Amino acid sequence: MSQYEKEESSDRYSLRGKVFHQLREDILSGHYKEHEELREMAISEEMGVSRTPVREALRQLELEGLVSIIPNKGAYVTGITRKDVEDIYAIRSLLEGLCARWATAYITEKQLDALEENIYLSEFHASKGHAQKLTELDDQFHDILYEACSSKMLEHQLRDFHEYVRRMRKQNLSGSERGLEAVLEHKQIMEAICRKDADRAQELAALHMRNAYDNMIKNGLLDAYDEKERIDG
């Protein structure tokens, strides 16, 4: 378990951490809708905690841009906009490339073995169209690289971005064509890392993110954001 995962796990067991992670999950999964009010009392009763950890969690969510707190009114869901998704993938392209570069230098034999097993299983499930399993393996592939890069700060940023677009990633991988393409891209990244070719690993990891975003555009996965923004406007 990486240092980040240890800290994340510890935080989840605190009251504030429990409320924060549940609320973030509910916002990112669509359980709470755009502009919906998050009532402290209702949330505290539902989760069986006092209002203090709820208030603290809402403040942290505001710092992450997922909630807007209006004085004397309340806390409202901001959620993820199309611009946010565009920004996330542009930034991820750069950071995932850096992650692959650093992983090339620090990855262990055990982590390389885990990547190889991940690719083997991913190829099988992609060929069968098992979208849910493929999403889990996609998460695992990136988790291995995040830990292998040996940077707590980079790992933290990438895990947050990865979480923010979870629903979008699942939709993107559900198409058999993109699922197979993504696995091939993972395999090419792994092979570059195995060759200790940091430049190529960085290039391929950055391209992997650009390809994922381009596929979203091609398949209209961001159209719902356009509609939402027209309504809001």
Side-chain angles (χ1 to χ4, degrees):
M1 180 181 289
S2 69
Q3 181 63 32
Y4 172 79
E5 289 174 314
K6 290 177 182 176
E7 293 172 359
E8 184 83 349
S9 177
S10 176
D11 180 57
R12 284 178 184 274
Y13 286 107
S14 70
L15 280 179
R16 182 205 57 80
K18 173 187 173 184
V19 176
F20 167 74
H21 287 288
Q22 185 60 57
L23 286 177
R24 184 167 71 167
E25 165 74 18
D26 289 342
I27 291 171
L28 294 175
S29 68
H31 177 74
Y32 290 116
K33 305 303 181 185
E34 189 84 1
H35 304 312
E36 183 173 348
E37 184 177 4
L38 298 172
R39 300 179 183 276
E40 286 184 15
M41 182 61 74
I43 294 170
S44 66
E45 290 177 354
E46 180 181 344
M47 295 191 179
V49 298
S50 70
R51 295 178 65 174
T52 298
V54 175
R55 191 174 302 116
E56 291 172 347
L58 291 174
R59 287 172 182 157
Q60 186 173 354
L61 287 165
E62 183 180 37
L63 291 175
E64 293 203 0
L66 295 176
V67 165
S68 176
I69 298 178
I70 302 175
N72 302 317
K73 285 195 67 177
Y76 298 85
V77 175
T78 302
I80 299 291
T81 66
R82 179 181 181 126
K83 177 64 164 55
D84 292 332
V85 175
E86 292 172 350
D87 291 349
I88 285 171
Y89 273 89
I91 297 169
R92 278 189 74 193
S93 178
L94 298 173
L95 296 186
E96 293 276 359
L98 182 61
C99 176
R101 168 173 285 278
W102 287 354
T104 302
Y106 296 110
I107 197 165
T108 66
E109 287 299 322
K110 183 178 179 181
Q111 289 166 337
L112 279 173
D113 289 343
L115 282 181
E116 289 183 4
E117 181 179 7
N118 177 277
I119 296 299
Y120 174 80
L121 292 172
S122 296
E123 288 175 331
F124 171 78
H125 289 289
S127 68
K128 299 296 183 181
H130 299 162
Q132 178 60 42
K133 189 62 180 177
L134 192 57
T135 301
E136 293 172 6
L137 287 165
D138 179 81
D139 287 342
Q140 185 186 79
F141 177 87
H142 289 281
D143 282 344
I144 295 168
L145 286 186
Y146 296 164
E147 184 174 349
C149 79
S150 195
S151 169
K152 182 174 68 175
M153 301 306 294
L154 182 57
E155 183 179 357
H156 177 81
Q157 290 297 324
L158 283 170
R159 286 187 188 278
D160 277 349
F161 283 141
H162 204 61
E163 182 71 15
Y164 286 170
V165 291
R166 186 201 311 166
R167 276 195 305 159
M168 190 68 65
R169 287 188 298 103
K170 184 175 181 179
Q171 287 178 291
N172 208 23
L173 289 170
S174 63
S176 59
E177 182 178 340
R178 177 55 198 164
L180 289 167
E181 289 173 352
V183 174
L184 175 59
E185 291 164 12
H186 284 179
K187 188 173 184 178
Q188 291 171 337
I189 294 168
M190 180 193 70
E191 289 172 345
I193 292 174
C194 286
R195 295 193 307 269
K196 298 298 182 182
D197 189 342
D199 289 341
R200 185 59 174 160
Q202 181 172 11
E203 178 186 355
L204 289 169
L207 179 61
H208 176 56
M209 287 297 102
R210 294 196 296 272
N211 287 343
Y213 180 75
D214 289 344
N215 189 72
M216 291 178 187
I217 297 297
K218 183 178 74 173
N219 290 289
L221 296 181
L222 297 185
D223 291 351
Y225 290 98
D226 289 334
E227 179 63 26
K228 181 177 68 174
E229 289 168 8
R230 280 196 294 271
I231 292 172
D232 292 344

